[in-house]
Amino acid sequence: MSPSAVEDYVALTVSAEAPAEFPDINIPEMVAWYVTPAAARPVAIDVVSAEYGFPQLTGHWPVAHLEEKSVMLVRVGSIGGAAAHALASYGVGRIVLVDPDRLLSHNVVRHVSSVKHVGRLKVDAVKQELAEAWPATHVDALPVDVIAPAHLIRPRLRDVGVVLCTADGVAARRVVSHLARRARTDAVLACVLQDGAVGEIIRLRPWADHGCLTCRREALVARGAVDPEPALDLGYGTGTAHRPMTAVGGDLHLVGQMAAKAAVATVLERKGHSDQKLPGEHAIFGLRPTLGWTPPFDLNRNGDIRWLPHSPPRPGCPTCEEP
Ligand SMILES: [Zn+2]
């Protein structure tokens, strides 16, 4: 159809040489025009590159190394949901979500998933969100607990680059510490302590001179620290009179994003990326610290970060000693 046969139409002009000839007026290479019998006016357009998505970061970020990697994420709560989105945004190729729980209305104030997902399995809600936001990431949704069906988790742990545990229960954290070491897989454990006052990330390496989660805690207790692990079983509250909410969503998301960064750094460091080395194996950071905790949890400023080294295995540890 010729333009004269219609009243209004849109035309696309390509002028590859224009920016060189007229640098001061900065004409884009492609311009769309809305043309009427009286006038033509430019229309803003968004030109999509043939290399769209993560390939655009090639040369600046190890896209190919992460694309081929899997991360298992144990628990997709307020910390885990944020960690899942962060992992995908770093370009992790496959994420295995493990959580048997459904999203409940009291979760929404702190969870990345919105109220429209209430009643759904958390793994399904986050899988759908990731499919929309990060279509290049493959997501497996396992609606199981890491404790009971360990036979489902164990074989998959050998295939992942790292397991990231954001469970707030002691049992699940210890199971992940144990199974990851047996599978010779790195683990990153993230939580908040002291009713959300302090964020904590512990990395566990399956190496002979590195201890498990229990060895780490006992080494700190031997030096006079409290063991914050048992208090984790209380969770972060549900917002009822008997179980008031403690940690706030933004802080939990920050911990999840830091944990995802530590997990990605762990994978990349193993791939030889020396710029991904972490300052230590145990990070503690102030979210809204209160005074009076014993070292190393005695952060007294919001935003303080303290990195500590690992602890060696204790003699006779059932996790650290080879069976
Ligand atoms: Zn141990």
Side-chain angles (χ1 to χ4, degrees), residues 211-215 313-314 317 319-320:
C212 67
L213 174 65
T214 312
C215 288
R314 294 163 299 154
C317 171
T319 292
C320 294

Side-chain angles (χ1 to χ4, degrees), residues 194-208:
Q194 212 182 356
D195 290 341
V198 172
E200 185 191 59
I201 292 168
I202 296 178
R203 178 166 66 171
L204 302 170
R205 320 303 294 262
W207 298 343

Side-chain angles (χ1 to χ4, degrees), residues 62-284:
V63 172
H65 283 166
L66 286 167
E67 197 175 65
E68 64 185 29
K69 284 292 174 189
S70 300
V71 175
M72 179 184 284
L73 179 60
V74 174
R75 287 287 174 169
V76 194
S78 303
I79 296 177
H85 280 263
L87 289 170
S89 75
Y90 282 117
V92 170
R94 179 180 288 262
I95 303 173
V96 183
L97 303 174
V98 180
D99 195 322
D101 287 352
R102 290 180 184 275
L103 188 75
L104 301 177
S105 53
H106 77 255
N107 299 138
V108 173
V109 69
R110 294 184 297 205
H111 204 274
V112 290
S113 299
S114 72
V115 69
K116 74 176 181 182
H117 293 291
V118 166
R120 298 183 71 197
L121 289 162
K122 289 177 181 173
V123 290
D124 288 341
V126 171
K127 179 176 177 169
Q128 185 185 330
E129 289 167 355
L130 294 184
E132 289 164 3
W134 305 101
T137 305
H138 186 95
V139 179
D140 295 335
L142 296 184
V144 296
D145 199 333
V146 75
I147 302 169
H151 65 281
L152 290 177
I153 305 298
R154 206 173 279 131
R156 280 186 171 255
L157 267 177
R158 289 190 205 101
D159 297 333
V160 298
V162 61
V163 53
L164 172 49
C165 175
T166 62
D168 53 12
V170 179
R173 288 164 56 85
R174 287 185 181 158
V175 164
V176 168
S177 165
H178 184 80
L179 294 181
R181 192 173 184 95
R182 285 284 179 272
R184 309 208 66 74
T185 297
D186 294 310
V188 173
L189 281 70
C191 65
V192 295
L193 306 171
Q194 212 182 356
D195 290 341
V198 172
E200 185 191 59
I201 292 168
I202 296 178
R203 178 166 66 171
L204 302 170
R205 320 303 294 262
W207 298 343
D209 59 335
H210 283 231
C212 67
L213 174 65
T214 312
C215 288
R216 176 74 195 139
R217 289 294 188 217
E218 294 207 357
L220 290 178
V221 169
R223 299 212 300 264
V226 294
D227 181 0
E229 205 71 23
L232 285 173
D233 270 340
L234 298 173
Y236 313 135
T238 60
T240 60
H242 295 293
R243 297 192 61 206
M245 281 198 182
T246 53
V248 66
D251 281 351
L252 294 168
H253 297 178
L254 179 66
V255 174
Q257 287 168 347
M258 282 280 288
K261 182 153 184 66
V264 166
T266 302
V267 166
L268 291 177
E269 193 195 330
R270 281 211 183 233
K271 273 278 187 183
H273 294 271
S274 56
D275 62 342
Q276 294 294 312
K277 279 196 169 70
L278 297 180
E281 302 298 320
H282 185 174
I284 300 163

Side-chain angles (χ1 to χ4, degrees), residues 16-23:
E17 296 83 27
E21 287 179 25
F22 308 103

